[in-house]
Amino acid sequence: DYELCEEWGHLYPVPREDLINLHREHLLHLLEMGDMEKALQLLQRIEDPGVCLAISEQSLDQHLNLAASHFLADYLTAHFYASLTTARRNEIQALYIGSKVLLTLPELSRVNYVHLSSRPLLMLEQLLMNMKVDWVAVAVQTLHQLLAGQEVGFTVEDIDNLLSKYAEKALNFPFTLKEKRS
């Protein structure tokens, strides 16, 4: 049905908003089905870059599954980086990085952290507080690789400061030594 509507749009004038809605719904359907290849083909078929940007951003704001969010954040960053405001660019890159970190976690545990996908530092802090040290090690390594030469609102130093803070807290002993009684 989507493809038929798309063909109809090529034959007859369709208002811009209706065209955006059609493509957005089609894109969301494809992403829901997990068909990233067809989703990419759909985005590449859209001739007007403004329409493509609107569709991609609106779809990203739908809070899709992890793979779909990762796909759209990557697409927006790769194709519309210069068109985005600095704040929106940082938001999208943080979502991309957060989803990449989530993908490093064991699959059954991702659901516990998916709500933090757009806030990678907070996700890292939550992992530290939950004593998931092995996961933190992998997450930090991933973050170091992804942050190389990028601006996303936080830096490698912010990660190091967070790790130092929790390492210091781990060494604090809140009790005093008792004297031996005879």
Side-chain angles (χ1 to χ4, degrees), residues 8-176:
W8 186 268
H10 289 296
L11 298 173
Y12 298 97
V14 177
R16 180 182 165 92
E17 282 305 310
D18 291 341
L19 195 61
I20 289 173
N21 289 336
L22 165 70
H23 287 307
R24 184 188 66 239
E25 292 303 318
H26 189 188
L27 180 63
L28 290 172
H29 172 73
L30 292 171
L31 292 173
E32 209 173 274
M33 301 300 290
D35 197 343
M36 304 304 171
E37 185 63 37
K38 282 191 178 178
L40 181 60
Q41 290 171 2
L42 170 67
L43 290 170
Q44 289 172 341
R45 278 196 312 265
I46 299 170
E47 295 170 3
D48 183 350
V51 170
C52 191
L53 174 61
I55 292 164
S56 302
E57 278 196 288
Q58 288 175 16
S59 297
L60 184 65
D61 293 337
Q62 295 291 319
H63 303 292
L64 305 165
N65 63 41
L66 179 61
S69 294
H70 186 73
F71 169 81
L72 285 170
D74 185 36
Y75 184 82
L76 281 164
T77 303
H79 294 88
F80 297 105
Y81 189 83
S83 303
L84 300 168
T85 65
T86 304
R88 183 68 170 157
R89 192 179 309 143
N90 288 347
E91 178 184 326
I92 290 170
Q93 285 186 316
L95 179 63
Y96 175 79
I97 289 172
S99 61
K100 193 79 164 175
V101 169
L102 267 175
L103 290 170
T104 66
L105 301 180
E107 192 171 341
L108 295 175
S109 301
R110 291 177 191 161
V111 70
N112 298 327
Y113 302 96
V114 74
H115 64 285
L116 299 172
S117 62
S118 62
R119 306 202 42 211
L121 270 182
L122 194 56
M123 185 189 318
L124 187 62
E125 187 167 7
Q126 188 69 49
L127 288 169
L128 285 166
M129 289 191 306
N130 290 340
M131 305 293 285
K132 304 294 185 187
V133 179
D134 295 339
W135 298 356
V136 169
V138 175
V140 167
Q141 183 179 13
T142 302
L143 285 169
H144 278 269
Q145 291 170 355
L146 292 172
L147 288 176
Q150 290 196 29
E151 275 186 47
V152 292
F154 65 94
T155 62
V156 173
E157 289 78 29
D158 294 327
I159 295 170
D160 293 343
N161 290 338
L162 183 67
L163 292 173
S164 297
K165 175 180 151 185
Y166 277 89
E168 183 180 315
K169 286 183 180 197
L171 296 175
N172 283 341
F173 297 103
F175 59 91
T176 58

